[in-house]
Amino acid sequence: DADVTQTPRNRITKTGKRIMLECSQTKGHDRMYWYRQDPGLGLRLIYYSFDVKDINKGEISDGYSVSRQAQAKFSLSLESAIPNQTALYFCATSDSGITKTKYNEQFFGPGTRLTVL
Amino acid sequence: GEDVEQSLFLSVREGDSSVINCTYTDSSSTYLYWYKQEPGAGLQLLTYIFSNMDMKQDQRLTVLLNKKDKHLSLRIADTQTGDSAIYFCAEIKNRDDKIIFGKGTRLHILP
């Protein structure tokens, strides 16, 4: 069973629509992240959360919002999708607690491919 | 700047060694990482090196760290078709625990 799951895996939508991407984890980690991957641009951090009710902007947060409803769930919303938000989106988790890997490994979900027409 | 730099593409013949290079930005980064992304999948940690080391070997993988030049490399010996993937160099920013990724190097294996 996957430890970090993302839904949906693929989504095609139209400009102006509201979209929500979901991430769930069973690893018991406190930290969660949303990244966006574009060809030639690598991974860019959108938002991250170090605990429930903790939300922090990453380098490209404009046009996105997030919600950390529970420790295991972190959702990413596009309030009004635009074509340049077409990308592969990844959720990741890490553990800051006493059981953490000392080298701060991040664990990634399988990704959501979003296309905005 | 904030960028972790690495070349975008590398082609290597099967059986040869692959060397992927990276320059990072923060001399105080405690750990440096190599993540691997196979087609259609998320990233997985391949290996890491602690900043007080200059080399780490793990089976076919060798990581070299030059702190003076902020240069990190990943050598894959006896490259196989299963090594075909995108390899991301990354560093951790100790001030806020964020990991900064490079743009990724796509490794293509020639028969």
Side-chain angles (χ1 to χ4, degrees):
Chain A
D1 285 342
D3 295 317
V4 184
T5 57
Q6 294 183 232
T7 55
R9 294 294 313 278
N10 287 283
R11 181 73 184 267
I12 300 173
T13 190
K14 293 183 179 178
T15 298
K17 293 291 188 184
R18 184 177 187 274
I19 296 296
M20 180 179 286
L21 309 183
E22 306 271 11
C23 177
S24 293
Q25 52 115 345
T26 58
K27 299 187 77 67
H29 289 172
D30 52 344
R31 297 181 171 187
M32 298 186 74
Y33 310 80
W34 275 105
Y35 292 92
R36 166 179 172 159
Q37 184 179 22
D38 297 274
L41 294 178
L43 280 176
R44 292 182 291 169
L45 183 63
I46 306 172
Y47 272 97
Y48 61 103
S49 168
F50 281 177
D51 204 347
V52 177
K53 299 192 192 320
D54 176 67
I55 301 293
N56 304 283
K57 290 183 178 181
E59 61 181 298
I60 54 160
S61 57
D62 286 349
Y64 301 95
S65 62
V66 290
S67 174
R68 185 84 184 268
Q69 308 93 321
Q71 189 183 49
K73 295 185 184 299
F74 193 35
S75 59
L76 175 72
S77 293
L78 288 68
E79 296 301 325
S80 180
I82 55 177
N84 77 1
Q85 291 177 312
T86 294
L88 192 51
Y89 290 84
F90 286 102
C91 174
T93 73
S94 68
D95 185 5
S96 70
I98 57 172
T99 59
K100 75 170 183 175
T101 57
K102 62 183 190 314
Y103 45 89
N104 285 300
E105 181 176 359
Q106 288 193 3
F107 296 83
F108 284 78
T112 295
R113 185 168 295 281
L114 176 67
T115 303
V116 183
L117 301 176
Chain B
E2 285 276 315
D3 290 346
V4 174
E5 301 283 350
Q6 54 183 127
S7 56
L8 294 182
F9 298 100
L10 177 66
S11 290
V12 173
R13 293 209 176 275
E14 190 175 358
D16 288 352
S17 292
S18 305
V19 179
I20 303 172
N21 294 301
C22 165
T23 55
Y24 61 97
T25 63
D26 190 344
S27 57
S28 67
S29 290
T30 313
Y31 292 98
L32 296 135
Y33 312 88
W34 286 103
Y35 278 79
K36 179 181 181 182
Q37 183 184 27
E38 296 185 351
L43 280 71
Q44 278 194 301
L45 182 66
L46 186 63
T47 188
Y48 68 95
I49 188 165
F50 188 46
S51 59
N52 70 351
M53 300 168 66
D54 51 22
M55 186 180 90
K56 179 179 179 181
Q57 189 144 4
D58 182 3
Q59 300 182 335
R60 292 190 297 120
L61 306 178
T62 303
V63 178
L64 296 178
L65 175 61
N66 179 330
K67 285 191 72 175
K68 174 177 168 289
D69 295 336
K70 292 187 224 163
H71 184 265
L72 184 73
S73 69
L74 173 69
R75 178 177 181 269
I76 306 172
D78 187 24
T79 307
Q80 305 296 309
T81 54
D83 296 324
S84 181
I86 302 176
Y87 292 82
F88 290 90
C89 173
E91 63 175 339
I92 188 164
K93 295 290 190 184
N94 294 331
R95 66 177 185 272
D96 54 15
D97 267 3
K98 282 194 294 186
I99 295 182
I100 306 297
F101 290 89
K103 292 179 172 49
T105 299
R106 184 179 294 275
L107 177 62
H108 178 61
I109 313 303
L110 302 167

